[in-house]
Amino acid sequence: MTQNFFVYGPLSDPELLGVVLGRPVEPGELVAARAMRRVVRSAPDTALPALVRADGEAAPGALLRDVPEGEAARLSFFHGAGAAAENVNISASGLGEVEAAAFSSDAVTAQAGEPWSPEAWSARRRAYDIEFARDWMSQYGRRPAEAMDHVRAGIGFRAHSRALAAKDGRAAHAHTGLRADLDRSAVELRAVERPYMEFFSVEEHFIRHRKFDGSMTPELKRAVFFTGDAVTILPYDPALDRVLMIEQWRAGPWARGDKRPWCLEVIAGRIDPGEALEETVIREAREEAGVEVTDLQRVGAYYATPGMAAEQLTSFVGRADLSKAGGVHGLDTEDEDIRVLTPTFDEAMAMLEAEEVDNAPAIISLMWLAARRDGLRKRWGG
């Protein structure tokens, strides 16, 4: 049994629709169409727009004909728990008026936002939504739609990281000539499996890659722990010549058996989808330490453990007034228990020398500050 569907918003993009259906969408398979007495609006708190009733309007989209039950089930899974399709009248190019099923929500009509814009979506969200769909649909057949809400945030972090990587211009920059001229085109992806997916995920990539002698490796299986990208910030007060660091319990040292699973760190946090790096830094400084940071200086972007973790960190040093900083901070919703310290620069260097600072972002940020401290104090009035 097959069914016609009206798809709109992001799903009218052939690449994203192909991810959802689990197969490529062939040229000409989508027929330009409009849903009568409907309008597409950006819906609050969700990436998917809403198809809502509006007399005298016609919502743009596409007709997908003769959809088999299996693909209809995938469309339902993509829309989430409780998704239901209703029949709408559409006007399709070359076919006239026909009836098709569409996933819509009149419940958000009153709260619906601005008309959905394909140009704005393509510029701002397309790469993210495609990556989100890949992760989300990887769970089809593995867990019910009702069990997906608690992994939505983790999928969002990973999708945002991949979208950032896709538009990262550093790969196109001129090289010093010392590195090999190899990029993603020198890697052949055979398959990706996700044996574990919760807030974090474990992915198994089956690949071949070009070797330095020009030949190809045999098929390799490489497991990756995927967390999503993050930023760090080391606040520095040039007048007091003090830095702000935090101390908190960490699962990694605990699982390893470290006798002291509390780490001395810089402020850090995951980048929310759609959030700029600088916005994340400012937000995290408020949440974790109760301070405002300005004059952000980029330390650099790097992989702390590239052999096993798909996490790029971007570190900053920022100016802050630390005269009243201290205490215990963190969000109750995330069970954070974060102690704030404000050592002098010399004390921080002594802790670094004694190996009391034992994590990469803090070590890198303190060493960066040590090399540029005099210049920052001159510019910032220390």
Side-chain angles (χ1 to χ4, degrees), residues 188-377:
E188 176 188 329
L189 176 63
R190 298 288 185 86
V192 178
E193 295 181 1
R194 296 173 176 84
Y196 175 85
M197 180 189 287
E198 294 296 331
F199 184 75
F200 301 134
S201 74
V202 174
E203 298 182 353
E204 294 176 341
H205 290 244
F206 297 81
I207 62 101
R208 298 172 68 217
H209 70 77
R210 191 168 305 283
K211 298 167 66 174
F212 293 118
D213 64 6
S215 64
M216 294 293 289
T217 67
E219 182 173 283
L220 307 173
K221 174 184 175 182
R222 294 292 183 262
V224 176
F225 180 65
F226 208 143
T227 65
D229 289 356
V231 294
T232 76
I233 176 72
L234 175 67
Y236 175 60
D237 186 328
L240 300 178
D241 198 22
R242 290 182 177 272
V243 298
L244 185 148
M245 303 189 71
I246 61 174
E247 189 174 18
Q248 60 182 321
W249 182 88
R250 285 305 199 186
W254 166 258
R256 178 178 173 269
D258 199 302
K259 293 182 179 179
R260 182 173 294 196
W262 275 259
C263 285
L264 193 58
E265 306 176 339
V266 290
I267 296 166
R270 307 240 161 260
I271 307 165
D272 286 343
E275 193 174 43
L277 303 184
E278 294 78 7
E279 292 174 330
T280 307
V281 162
I282 293 170
R283 172 176 58 79
E284 290 293 339
R286 291 170 181 162
E287 292 175 359
E288 295 193 356
V291 299
E292 297 292 329
V293 291
T294 60
D295 297 316
L296 299 176
Q297 303 293 306
R298 183 184 172 106
V299 173
Y302 54 93
Y303 295 94
T305 51
M308 58 161 285
E311 177 191 48
Q312 186 180 73
L313 296 166
T314 304
S315 293
F316 293 86
V317 169
R319 184 179 181 180
D321 177 1
L322 302 182
S323 60
K324 298 180 181 179
V328 177
H329 299 264
L331 298 177
D332 291 339
T333 55
E334 297 182 10
D335 297 314
E336 292 178 326
D337 182 51
I338 301 170
R339 176 174 175 256
V340 169
L341 299 80
T342 57
T344 65
F345 174 80
D346 289 340
E347 289 171 337
M349 291 299 104
M351 289 190 293
L352 184 63
E353 182 69 23
E355 298 188 13
E356 288 188 66
V357 183
D358 57 1
N359 62 93
I363 293 171
I364 292 170
S365 297
L366 285 170
M367 293 180 70
W368 184 94
L369 177 60
R372 295 162 176 81
R373 171 172 163 253
D374 291 343
L376 288 179
R377 297 195 79 190

Side-chain angles (χ1 to χ4, degrees), residues 27-100:
E29 192 174 352
L30 288 175
V31 179
R34 288 182 173 270
M36 311 307 294
R37 296 177 295 283
R38 296 290 192 280
V39 65
V40 181
R41 291 191 176 275
S42 300
D45 303 322
T46 176
L48 293 175
L51 186 66
V52 297
R53 297 181 184 275
D55 291 338
E57 300 286 347
L63 172 65
L64 184 65
R65 291 180 289 181
D66 302 325
V67 177
E69 291 183 1
E71 292 183 1
R74 292 180 67 95
L75 285 168
S76 177
F77 180 84
F78 179 69
H79 283 83
E86 67 171 0
N87 289 330
V88 295
N89 294 320
I90 66 170
S91 175
S93 177
L95 298 174
E97 290 195 15
V98 296
E99 193 174 71

